[in-house]
Every structure is written in structure tokens, then in C-alpha cells.
Amino acid sequence: MTIPPPSTRTRKTPRLAGIAAALVLLAGPARTAPATQLLDQDWQVRLVPGDPREAEHPQAAHWLAATVPGAVQTDLMAAGLAADPFVGRNEAAIQWVGLSDWVYRTRFDVDPATLARQHAELVFEGLDTFAEVSLNGHKLLDADNMFRRWAVSAKPWLHAGANTLEVRLYSPIKRLQPWLKRQPYALPGEFDSAFGDEPKGLQSANYVRKAAYQYGWDWGPRIVTEGIWQPVHLDSWDRLRVAGLHVAQKHLDAQAARLDVQLDVDADREATLPAEISVFGPDGEPVARQVADFEVVAGHHRVGVPVTIAHPRRWYPVGYGAQDMYTVRVRLGDGGTPLYEGLRQVGLRTVELRRDKDRWGRSFAFVVNGVPIFAKGANLIPFDSFPTRVDNARMRRTLESARAANMNMLRVWGGGYYLPDAFYAMADRMGLMIWQDFMFGGAIPPRDAAFVANVRQEAADQVERLSDHPSIVLWCGNNEVQSSWLSWGDRKALQASLAPAENERIRQGMRDLFGEVLRDAVVQNDPDVPYWPSSPSRGGDGFANSLDDGDYHYWDVWSGQAKPTTAYLDVTPRFQSEYGLQSFPDLRTIRAFAGAGPWQADSPVLRAHQKFDGGNGNRRLLEYVRREYGEPKNFPALVYLSQVMQADGIALAAEHLRASRPQSMGSLYWQLNDLWPGVTWSSIDSYGRWKALQFRARRFYAPLLVAALRHEGSTTVSLVSDRTSPLAARWRLRLMDFAGKVRREENHDVTLAPLSSTQVARYTDAELLDGADPRATFAVFELIEDGKPVARNLVFFALPRDLRLPRAHVHVQLIPTPTGYTLTLATDALARDVWVSFGDLDADLSDNSLDLLPGEPAALEVTSKASVEALRQALQVQDLAHAMGTPP
Ligand code: BMA
């Protein structure tokens, strides 16, 4: 017998509304089967009567159709009462929504059978954020945390026929500001509102458990949502129900996996529950079956039964093995129709965050199933300002792009929200490791008992929900909270104004929260995954961002001192979890939010979609482009050059980090994705379009890399292999002029050790050039396996703006194939950073942003619905020499 693996897994209660449930509640005798009624219909929303905005927005003072799960802002957009804040300069016009109080209502019928149940519970999987819930006029719940699940007994207030459910949502800004103004001081936050609704330095976001980025970030707008953002349902049962199924991994080695199959049970009295536990292997084959009793007592509790799998197949990160997963099935009952059946998918793997003392200090390395893995990836920001409109297809496309670019890790950064189960299930399937921050983005948190208790419950909810995903390899307490306390100007200014004892209390509060409360949540609910208190840190709350110990955020390039990108080569941390450069998105994306143009870097609409330094980021971007590439000849050239600059800079850093293995064991650049169309650090824009960096990432994160890093007049050549077996190969150096004439060639045999970086050569410019013109000569380094180049990198001896780059003629040929098209590119002279596009047509390219050498054509696969004629007509090829304004 085989069963197909289900597509998702269980959570505490079956998730509904498209979030498929693998927890199957079978029809037992009608009175014993727990039931769930989804309340997603007939919702309406309006301003709370008496809200001061009624006069200004009279239409919102009437009931409007609402979507649950959803947000007020998206309801108003659907009703035509709010303009799309992602277009033009509309962001300002939607601010009033988050400054108002709203009320949602629906009516639902309850049948007599449900009413007769011993238990009826109303469950809100997520409320955003300050919410007051009433059922038939009786107040049931006050909620104050977007990240928690709220379940309350509804039994006393339910009646037969129509029931009215009302949810009032209070503006978190309006609720907290008056209180905050009365406090002796405000805790330092993140980004001040650009709209004047909160005074500078007086940010209420610190004091509420709500996604921090919605208050505005340096890559996204301020849209303070309110709404019922997760499903609502009414659960009813008698005597007993199973509320969750987990599989804890107690021990794992090549011989055996010892698991504990656990049920979360609500029982009215003690009972013995006969059960059949079956385990199915990665191919659906049965591998273990066991009959056992779960002994339950009265109340809510967890019961477990041990199960062993012999010779388990383990889950591996992509590139290191298969993503094998097992399905555990639990059936309760004594042979007849089961009273309950639940399925849970698990991946078996060990994870260690290796922190050994070594000659560079103390390591920071992920070791999965005993294999030390260099983490290659990026930071993930939230997918949208409105979490409820993110569908699985969007998340999948982003994850697939990451995997396609040879990434193996993403960091779910702490200023957003905990992502849905489907996200982690996809990461499991794709073998992408997830570094999971708790949701603390940088603001200094309060420390009062109620706040801490609220966070404790949030952490328990979330860690328990996500605990069985093999993709999660780290839980991290916060992003930059404790490090900022020690180094940011506003924090230091506050500390100078406070008594030392008060400073110590604030610091101790953070120590307690990140050193104990969150750590405990992980130890209790996901004990086989390591915990790290803060990024960046050395594992405690002391000085962070040191090169010898812990993870490192490097921002001297771009922000801070705006150092040139070569400064990336001056730092070799143990794990670089953030560093980044901005670029403009594709012109099509710009057109979609900014209209027809013409534009310049400081056009008001482009400044409105640039959040770094209040819109001044575009100047910084131009400065970086000018510094290395000279004056762009027009705006499209600036867009193109900004992407080349970003890709070149990040490639330099990533290659340096990989070459520094094992001193460095990770590179996560900032940032993978965008949540709106803007000018940001992303490598994929909000339409899913790849920037040059995303294509380059595929090369600099490829399993085999030749890193040729030129710094201060010398080039160091390292060969990097992520393979787990030795590689016999050859490396080659060719020195060429721009017309393709080889002036010199060297070939060397080499054997690369598994999981290694090997420095094979170091040349001064004089040695490499041997008298050739540095402005018209370049070096090509290649790694060759079985006669074929598998990795390549070019070294130039001057900044691009100072090179005598030729105006190359790139010949193109587009030929239909059974699956799409092949595009062949050939050139008569060196063409750098060749970028192929098809105007307004959608087309996916197997590669882009590539250097073309004369005599070495490149063939790209193109997938598009457009016809060959249309594609040929729209085809555009740009290269560096043509985009730089200064003639060569
Ligand atoms: C980092 C992040 C974010 C921010 C990014 C770019 O340090 O943690 O707070 O968006 O820098 O400035």
C-alpha cells in the first residue's frame, strides 16, 4: 500500500480557506467528530460610528463589502474608495486609513447539532492588531498581537439561527500616541513617519506586536494595515478533540531515526486512545507501523508515542542530496472507522551551528547532517505591504528564483511577519535553508510584564506551528536590536539623557527577552534547531559586528561612509548576514508606477519610490554609478548601469566570502525581493523580474567558482568547490586584448578538495600585464572540467570608466526550438555586461548580464508566449560601452 504525500502539513487546528489541511477529521459517529465551520462569508466593514474621519470620507461611514482574510485598505481599494498606493505618489493619500478605527461584521448560522456540542470555540488565526471581538453583543476578546492565534469559548453566547460577529479594529497609532506622549521618554524606533502623523522620535511601533515594516522602511511605503488577516472559524466538539499533530526528532543517525509522535489533545476526562501510527517513506512506501495507546488526561495537553525508522533517508539542503521527506499518519480508534486521522510530513536532518574556537576566533557555520555548508543566499523581506494578497504562486516564484540562482539559504528578516505554512513547505521541498528571525526589526522593545508575556505566547504559537519544517535551520531573536543599542546615534543620545540604572533596565529587558524568553520558546518547541539571540551578534548582547566571532552586517559600502565596493575585500567576517547595494528596477517596472516619463534620478515620483535617506538614495545611486562607470548617457542607461554596478559590487563581495572559506561560512546579501515597485537593494523586483544581480548570483553562487579578486594592484585567484567529493580539474589564465587576441596563456592541473577554497595564484598587475596596456587588456580565469569551462571570471586593470572599451557589434540569432527559442549572441570585440531585453514582451531568459568574448558565442534559452517575429522585433541588446556617456 502506498499513499501520496500530502501537499501541506497540519497546524494546531486545520487551516482553512485555501490553506489546505492535512489534518483529516473523519466522520465518526456524528456526535463525536469535531467540526469546523469557516466564517469567511458576508463580511462588511465601515468606519466606527463617530470616527472623526466620517465627515471627510462619508462613503466609508456606510457598510462596504469586506474580504476576510483581508485588510481595510484592500477593501477600500476594491470599493473604489482608495487609490492604489503603489502607483505614482498615492502613498500619502492612504495614510488616513491606518489612523482610523474600523468595524467588521458578519452573520452566520449555527445549526442545532453544533449548538448541542459540549464545546464551541471561536478561533481567529490572526487579527491586525488592536481588536475587540463581540458575539451577539457580548464582548469575547481583546486582542493586541498580530502574530498570535486567538481562541475563545463561544458556547455561552451562541444561539440557533443567525449569529452576529463584530470585530472592532483600533488604529494602533491613535491608540498609542497619547499614551506615548505622556511617557518620560520614547524608546528609539526605526523610521520616522514621512507624513507627520507621529512626531519625529516618538514612534508607537515599538510598543505593539505588529509587522514593523508597515510603518515604513527604507525599501517600502508606510501603510499601517488593519484587518482580520487570517481565517476565522468556529470549532465544536464533545469530550475530546485532537488539536495538533507533531513529530519531534529525538535522535538521528545513519542507523535509526527515533521520533516522538505527538498529539495535542483537549479532553474532558482521562481516556486511553488506541492508535495506529504508520510511517511512509519518501516514495510513499510503508516503512513503519505501530499500534499503541495514547493515554490522555483531562485538559489541554500533549501526549507522545515513540516511533523508530531504521536506516532513514535524510533531508539535505539543495546541492547536498535529496529533499527526502516522510509522512507520518496517526489513526485513532480501535479498528473500525477512525475517530481521527492526521498526516504530518517530516524531513529528518541534524542541524548544528558550529561555534568552534579556531585561528580566526570563533566559527559561525551551519553543519547539516554532519556536512559543513557554506550558506549562499540573500535576505527576504515581506512579499507585500498587504500580506493577505500574497498567494502561493508569488512565494513559489520567489523561492524558485532563489534556487535557480544557486542559493541554499534565505533569511526571513525580523521586521516583517511570520510567513504562512505553505512558504516553509515549499522551502522544504526545494531544499532551501531558512534562517528565521523572530519579528523584531530594530526598534528597542519595552520590557513590561504584559509585553513580555504577549511575546512569550506569540513565540510559542509560531515556533510550535513551524517546528517540523526541516528547512528551518536557525531561530534568531531579532534584527539589529541589541547591536543598535550600542552603536546608533539616537540610542546613544537617549542613553546620555537617562540615569545609568534606567539604561541598565532597558538593556536587561532585552537580555531577558532575547536571551531567555525567545530561547525558551525554541528549546521547548523546536529543540533540535539552534537559537541565536540577535543578528548581528557574537551570541550575547555585547559588542556586535566583530570580524572574529558571530555574524556580521556590513554597511560601510552604500550606507554609512559610502565606501567604494572594493572595501568589501577589506573585511572577512565569519558569516556576512547582510550587505547590499541598490539599483533601479527594470524600465517596464518604472513605467508601471511612474507613468510615461521622461524621468531623471530626482524626478518626484522616483524620489517617492526611493525610501533610503528620504528619497536622496537616488543621488547615492548616481554617485556609485558615476564613480566607476562615468556619466550615464541617458536615464535608461542609468537604470542599466545601476544594475551593472549592483551586480559587480555584490559579486565581488560574495566571491571574496566564498574564497575565504572556512574563515567565512556564509554570504546573505541584502535583499532578494521587493514588496512594491521601488528603487531598492533587491535582485528581483516586485513583478518578479530579475535584475542583473539575480543572473550574476547564479554564477557567483554556482557550486564551482573561480574567484579572481583584484585589490590594490594584485589579483588573488581561488578555486572554490562546494562538491562533497574531490575534483580533478584544470585552471587556465588567458591575457587578452579587447579584440580577442590572446597575448599569453597558462594552464595548471589541480585537484580540489571537497567543500573547499584553494588559493592557486597571486599576481601583481605588472606580472599579469607584462607590459600590455592596462586600459585595453583583460585577464580571463577559467576552471575547466573534462575539457569544458565550468566557471569563468574576468579581471580588468582599470575602472570601467577608464577602460578603452570597444563599441562591439553583437550579432544575434533567435531560433525557435520545441520548447521555446534559442538566442545566440556573438561579438566581434569584447562586449561587457550584455543585457538582452524584449521591450514590453514577457520572456524568461536562461542567462543575462554576461560578458561576451570575441570568438566565444553564447547560447541562451528563451521562453515566451510571444511569436518569433514579435520577439525579433522587440529584441534589444545593451552593453557597457554603449551605456557609458563618455566616449571610449
Ligand atoms: C539592514 C536591515 C534593514 C534595512 C537594510 C537596508 O541593516 O536590517 O533594516 O532595510 O539594512 O538599509
Side-chain angles (χ1 to χ4, degrees):
M1 182 192 66
T2 60
I3 55 159
S7 56
T8 52
R9 302 138 28 106
T10 62
R11 52 170 291 136
K12 223 170 168 190
T13 295
R15 292 217 112 188
L16 302 150
I19 308 166
L23 184 74
V24 185
L25 297 168
L26 292 183
R31 311 255 289 319
T32 51
T36 286
Q37 181 177 346
L38 184 63
L39 307 180
D40 63 346
Q41 296 297 313
D42 304 324
W43 284 95
Q44 295 178 308
V45 65
R46 56 159 291 168
L47 278 168
V48 160
D51 188 282
R53 308 265 166 178
E54 274 186 333
E56 232 175 295
H57 301 278
Q59 287 166 294
H62 299 286
W63 288 105
L64 307 165
T67 301
V68 169
V72 178
Q73 282 87 347
T74 41
D75 288 334
L76 293 175
M77 280 154 69
L81 300 183
D84 185 346
F86 287 8
V87 172
R89 296 164 71 193
N90 290 346
E91 180 191 354
I94 207 163
Q95 296 306 313
W96 70 277
V97 183
L99 293 165
S100 310
D101 298 337
W102 298 89
V103 54
Y104 279 79
R105 73 169 183 199
T106 188
R107 280 156 75 97
F108 62 97
D109 283 336
V110 176
D111 60 26
T114 305
L115 217 50
R117 286 309 183 80
Q118 283 164 25
H119 303 274
E121 196 176 73
L122 199 54
V123 181
F124 291 86
E125 299 282 349
L127 287 164
D128 176 14
T129 290
F130 288 119
E132 191 182 293
V133 177
S134 328
L135 177 63
N136 297 324
H138 298 277
K139 186 163 138 187
L140 283 190
L141 171 70
D142 268 318
D144 60 357
N145 185 333
M146 179 181 181
F147 308 127
R148 275 177 63 184
R149 179 177 182 275
W150 305 90
V152 276
S153 171
K155 176 111 181 125
W157 318 115
L158 280 177
H159 48 235
N163 288 262
T164 304
L165 183 59
E166 190 184 278
V167 180
R168 280 182 182 231
L169 294 161
Y170 297 95
S171 159
I173 300 165
K174 233 172 64 178
R175 171 166 286 199
L176 291 170
Q177 263 302 329
W179 170 85
L180 185 53
K181 286 196 178 111
R182 292 195 304 271
Q183 301 311 302
Y185 62 89
L187 290 166
E190 277 288 344
F191 298 96
D192 280 318
S193 172
F195 302 99
D197 52 318
E198 296 198 273
K200 299 230 176 294
L202 217 59
Q203 296 176 21
S204 60
N206 301 50
Y207 301 89
V208 55
R209 295 306 297 147
K210 172 169 170 60
Y213 77 101
Q214 297 183 327
Y215 290 82
W217 215 265
D218 56 3
W219 33 256
R222 180 172 174 99
I223 301 178
V224 180
T225 57
E226 294 173 53
I228 302 171
W229 79 293
Q230 299 278 353
V232 187
H233 45 97
L234 180 71
D235 296 347
S236 55
W237 71 99
D238 297 310
R239 285 187 332 206
L240 182 133
R241 71 162 169 179
V242 177
L245 164 61
H246 289 280
V247 181
Q249 179 188 298
K250 295 287 177 190
H251 174 83
L252 177 67
D253 62 26
Q255 273 66 49
R258 286 208 303 277
L259 310 175
D260 196 42
V261 177
Q262 302 169 335
L263 296 179
D264 291 323
V265 171
D266 287 302
D268 289 355
R269 61 182 94 100
E270 50 176 68
T272 297
L273 302 176
E276 180 206 58
I277 298 167
S278 310
V279 182
F280 301 89
D283 304 317
E285 75 287 5
V287 295
R289 182 179 169 277
Q290 187 167 324
V291 172
D293 288 338
F294 285 97
E295 302 290 346
V296 307
V297 294
H300 177 83
H301 60 291
R302 186 171 277 196
V303 281
V305 163
V307 169
T308 298
I309 301 174
H311 306 293
R313 280 159 65 176
R314 279 178 273 186
W315 179 95
Y316 281 91
V318 56
Y320 294 86
Q323 285 72 56
D324 282 331
M325 295 190 64
Y326 288 79
T327 303
V328 176
R329 186 183 69 196
V330 178
R331 279 183 174 160
L332 294 186
D334 40 18
T337 310
L339 299 175
Y340 159 86
E341 177 175 309
L343 297 174
R344 186 91 169 161
Q345 293 227 282
V346 288
L348 307 172
R349 48 97 185 95
T350 57
V351 190
E352 180 197 343
L353 179 60
R354 193 163 282 173
R355 304 266 299 127
D356 288 347
K357 290 227 162 74
D358 59 20
R359 64 184 153 119
W360 301 286
R362 217 173 151 191
S363 68
F364 188 100
F366 289 92
V367 180
V368 179
N369 297 329
V371 182
I373 292 178
F374 189 98
K376 302 180 287 192
N379 285 268
L380 187 88
I381 64 161
F383 289 95
D384 200 317
S385 294
F386 306 105
T388 47
R389 69 178 186 188
V390 179
D391 58 11
N392 287 359
R394 189 139 131 217
M395 294 191 291
R396 181 175 304 112
R397 190 160 172 204
T398 306
L399 289 174
E400 276 170 355
S401 291
R403 191 177 139 130
N406 286 310
M407 296 184 183
N408 59 22
M409 180 180 276
L410 295 176
R411 169 172 176 237
V412 178
W413 162 85
Y417 57 95
Y418 305 92
L419 293 167
D421 301 59
F423 170 85
Y424 302 93
M426 287 186 245
D428 292 344
R429 287 280 160 210
M430 293 186 209
L432 290 168
M433 295 183 284
I434 301 294
W435 165 320
Q436 179 68 45
D437 281 1
F438 282 97
M439 293 304 131
F440 291 89
I444 304 301
R447 60 181 190 284
D448 59 279
F451 182 88
V452 173
N454 200 355
V455 172
R456 180 179 284 119
Q457 189 55 48
E458 159 195 329
D461 282 4
Q462 296 296 341
V463 182
E464 189 205 307
R465 175 172 73 91
L466 300 174
S467 63
D468 294 355
H469 290 284
S471 53
I472 296 180
V473 296
L474 186 74
W475 285 96
C476 173
N478 68 69
N479 170 73
E480 296 187 352
V481 173
Q482 283 147 302
S483 57
S484 74
W485 181 250
L486 299 176
S487 55
W488 293 8
D490 58 347
R491 276 72 170 152
K492 287 190 190 162
L494 175 72
Q495 287 166 52
S497 75
L498 296 178
E502 182 65 2
N503 283 322
E504 183 48 30
R505 277 194 288 273
I506 295 173
R507 193 160 173 186
Q508 187 60 41
M510 292 191 273
R511 242 178 245 146
D512 293 344
L513 195 62
F514 304 117
E516 287 178 24
V517 174
L518 297 182
R519 185 189 295 276
D520 285 353
V522 175
V523 168
Q524 279 163 29
N525 294 288
D526 202 7
D528 57 336
V529 173
Y531 176 79
W532 187 245
S534 179
S535 180
S537 78
R538 295 157 60 105
D541 77 330
F543 179 74
N545 253 8
S546 45
L547 293 170
D548 61 336
D549 187 0
D551 70 319
Y552 193 78
H553 292 189
Y554 184 66
W555 285 104
D556 284 0
V557 175
W558 181 265
S559 12
Q561 311 165 44
K563 285 186 179 172
T565 54
T566 46
Y568 283 133
L569 302 176
D570 295 331
V571 290
T572 309
R574 310 314 310 263
F575 190 110
Q576 194 152 296
S577 41
E578 280 189 15
Y579 61 102
L581 286 164
Q582 283 203 349
S583 67
F584 284 99
D586 192 276
L587 274 178
R588 291 171 73 192
T589 301
I590 294 177
R591 216 173 293 130
F593 74 79
W599 314 283
Q600 315 153 32
D602 59 359
S603 300
V605 66
L606 292 185
R607 286 180 61 91
H609 284 243
Q610 161 65 271
K611 298 298 185 182
F612 178 75
D613 192 15
N616 294 326
N618 290 341
R619 278 189 214 148
R620 170 103 13 132
L621 195 42
L622 194 55
E623 185 186 316
Y624 267 90
V625 167
R626 281 186 181 137
R627 215 186 263 170
E628 302 214 353
Y629 305 87
E631 195 63 32
K633 70 173 185 216
N634 51 28
F635 184 78
L638 169 60
V639 170
Y640 161 85
L641 287 173
S642 75
Q643 292 196 14
V644 170
M645 179 279 294
Q646 180 194 32
D648 281 351
I650 300 300
L652 189 68
E655 289 171 6
H656 162 63
L657 293 166
R658 291 192 65 194
S660 305
R661 172 184 189 137
Q663 183 178 355
S664 266
M665 282 302 283
S667 154
L668 305 179
Y669 67 74
W670 187 271
Q671 69 200 57
L672 180 67
N673 58 323
D674 264 337
L675 55 60
W676 82 327
V679 193
T680 76
W681 294 264
S682 74
S683 54
I684 307 172
D685 76 22
S686 61
Y687 288 87
R689 293 175 184 138
W690 285 26
K691 296 178 176 178
L693 172 56
Q694 189 69 16
F695 287 101
R696 288 286 289 278
R698 176 147 59 198
R699 268 170 264 149
F700 63 66
Y701 281 153
L704 299 175
L705 170 75
V706 47
L709 303 166
R710 180 174 172 271
H711 195 31
E712 290 164 355
S714 296
T715 298
T716 308
V717 186
S718 302
L719 304 176
V720 182
S721 171
D722 286 346
R723 297 223 183 135
T724 50
S725 50
L727 171 70
R730 191 156 57 84
W731 69 271
R732 170 165 76 170
L733 155 67
R734 286 178 292 163
L735 195 75
M736 292 175 135
D737 67 20
F738 291 165
K741 192 169 140 238
V742 179
R743 297 178 53 105
R744 161 175 166 206
E745 178 169 336
E746 282 177 23
N747 282 277
H748 305 269
D749 288 329
V750 67
T751 300
L752 300 181
L755 304 167
S756 71
S757 168
T758 314
Q759 188 181 314
V760 290
R762 190 178 160 87
Y763 303 91
T764 62
D765 285 353
E767 285 163 349
L768 269 180
L769 281 166
D770 198 15
D773 179 356
R775 295 197 298 157
T777 310
F778 66 111
V780 185
F781 292 92
E782 283 163 312
L783 182 64
I784 297 169
E785 184 185 17
D786 298 332
K788 279 195 287 284
V790 286
R792 187 180 84 177
N793 244 314
L794 310 187
V795 168
F796 292 86
F797 300 92
L799 288 177
R801 55 180 287 167
D802 299 325
L803 293 174
R804 296 220 202 97
L805 286 177
R807 302 265 173 162
H809 297 283
V810 177
H811 303 277
V812 295
Q813 202 180 23
L814 185 73
I815 297 170
T817 64
T819 51
Y821 305 92
T822 298
L823 178 68
T824 310
L825 303 167
T827 183
D828 59 353
L830 171 72
R832 285 188 71 179
D833 299 296
V834 171
W835 182 258
V836 177
S837 54
F838 293 95
D840 283 334
L841 299 178
D842 284 319
D844 283 333
L845 288 150
S846 62
D847 204 357
N848 214 341
S849 190
L850 58 158
D851 297 319
L852 278 183
L853 271 49
E856 296 180 27
L860 316 185
E861 298 312 314
V862 181
T863 326
S864 176
K865 293 201 179 98
S867 69
V868 69
E869 295 77 33
L871 288 170
R872 277 185 188 138
Q873 203 132 63
L875 177 68
Q876 286 166 23
V877 178
Q878 275 167 288
D879 78 322
L880 198 53
H882 289 85
M884 295 193 302
T886 33

